[in-house]
Amino acid sequence: MRPLPVVKCVTNDIRVPADAEWVLEGYFDARGHVEPEGPYGEFLGYYGALKRNPVFHLTAITRRRDALFQTSSIGGRAPELHRHRAAQRVRTRIDDLARARNCIREPIAVYATTSSGGMFNVRVALRQRVPGEARNAIVACLGALANIKNVFVVDADIDIFSDAQMDWAMATRFQPDRDLIVLAGMRTLPLDPSLTSGRVGAKAGFDLTWPFGTAERLERACPSHPRFDDKRFSSVEAALAGWRKILCRADGCRGQSRRPRDCAPRLIGCARRQVSIATPKGVT
């Protein structure tokens, strides 16, 4: 490993990376948190409170000749697109997955929704080996980060990255009197706008898994979509040319004689289904 090249600052003796894009030199006011600051738009989509912060006195700015200044947005009307929340989501997933592996045998995936700040709402998919693992996952995630507020645990057949599947699991596998866990008096993030006072609040766990050992009591297999593997035609006219063969195969008549006028509606519908998607230009 090569040593990191460093240089001395202009206005103090601190050493900084020699290839740093920007270097801001200065010092903090000795009086501490004295200057009112804010309110600013926060990553949860609301303005934060006015608060007192330290004062930084800038003494010098140095930079590369072709310096880049990279930043990220925080507030706004599209919270799911913010880089800050996306970065926060990665951290949440790493921490929660590490905790989950310590308390359950087969975690499948962990996902923190970007719209909840990348931390407030966490989804966990697992394959339960023994009773109680879903509850263990809930407690582990709530204890991994103070900012996590709600944890949703589902079985391995649910795609936690799909809002529709999560909604389906909530609607069909969750009983509030049996599967809801509420913990009061927990440390939370002060920026949570739902808090009315103080720094403590409640956290919730939603067990959206089947009760252990009961998953097979319902038939959940879905048939595949119907497919047409026979010959395709470039136009309706070409399909109509072989109408008797197409019609017999479509309605199961197996070569029985039928009058064309009785079969016309079924014939047209079947022929249109056989027209290739790649219809030549000019054919309607």
Side-chain angles (χ1 to χ4, degrees), residues 26-271:
Y27 62 93
F28 284 104
D29 197 302
R31 295 174 298 165
H33 294 66
V34 295
E35 187 71 24
E37 186 178 21
Y40 294 121
E42 296 291 350
F43 69 97
L44 291 173
Y46 300 88
Y47 278 99
L50 182 68
K51 55 186 178 182
R52 292 186 178 276
N53 278 331
V55 178
F56 179 75
H57 297 272
L58 184 68
T59 57
I61 300 177
T62 58
R63 64 178 179 84
R64 295 167 58 108
R65 291 188 180 90
D66 56 349
L68 297 176
F69 185 80
Q70 186 173 3
T71 185
S72 63
S73 60
I74 294 181
R77 295 184 177 273
E80 68 280 1
L81 301 179
H82 292 166
R83 297 177 188 172
H84 178 86
R85 299 189 186 195
Q88 192 68 256
R89 179 181 62 186
V90 173
R91 173 211 175 190
T92 303
R93 291 172 65 180
I94 293 174
D95 288 350
D96 279 355
L97 187 58
R99 290 293 185 93
R101 284 173 173 164
N102 289 332
C103 66
I104 58 179
R105 299 185 183 183
E106 195 172 353
I108 304 300
V110 176
Y111 175 61
T113 61
T114 311
S115 54
S116 70
M119 63 176 75
F120 271 37
N121 292 343
V122 173
R123 303 170 181 177
V124 180
L126 54 80
R127 186 173 286 108
Q128 291 197 82
R129 300 285 192 87
V130 294
E133 285 197 312
R135 304 296 179 98
N136 282 13
I138 290 173
V139 175
C141 291
L142 291 177
L145 291 172
N147 299 342
I148 295 176
K149 184 176 180 180
N150 303 301
V151 179
F152 305 83
V153 180
V154 297
D155 290 304
D157 65 318
I158 298 296
D159 181 5
I160 62 173
F161 303 99
S162 167
D163 292 342
Q165 289 212 13
M166 290 298 298
D167 189 44
W168 178 55
M170 172 72 85
T172 61
R173 306 185 185 187
F174 175 77
Q175 284 295 318
D177 62 338
R178 181 191 67 198
D179 301 321
L180 176 63
I181 301 174
V182 178
L183 302 176
M186 303 288 288
R187 175 194 167 193
T188 60
L189 183 68
L191 287 175
D192 185 348
S194 67
L195 294 175
T196 55
S197 62
R199 291 174 174 263
V200 297
K203 297 178 183 289
F206 299 81
D207 184 354
L208 310 185
T209 64
W210 292 113
F212 188 79
T214 67
E216 302 304 323
R217 64 188 178 88
L218 296 176
E219 176 59 51
R220 291 180 291 161
C222 296
S224 59
H225 295 293
R227 296 180 55 185
F228 183 83
D229 297 322
D230 208 334
K231 179 181 178 182
R232 295 182 178 272
F233 301 90
S234 60
S235 66
V236 173
E237 289 76 9
L240 289 175
W243 69 268
R244 185 177 297 277
K245 180 179 179 181
I246 299 170
L247 179 61
C248 291
R249 186 173 296 129
D251 62 13
C253 66
R254 302 296 181 183
Q256 300 177 12
S257 59
R258 304 183 68 164
R259 291 180 299 174
R261 65 173 178 270
D262 296 334
C263 302
R266 193 181 298 270
L267 165 65
I268 295 174
C270 181

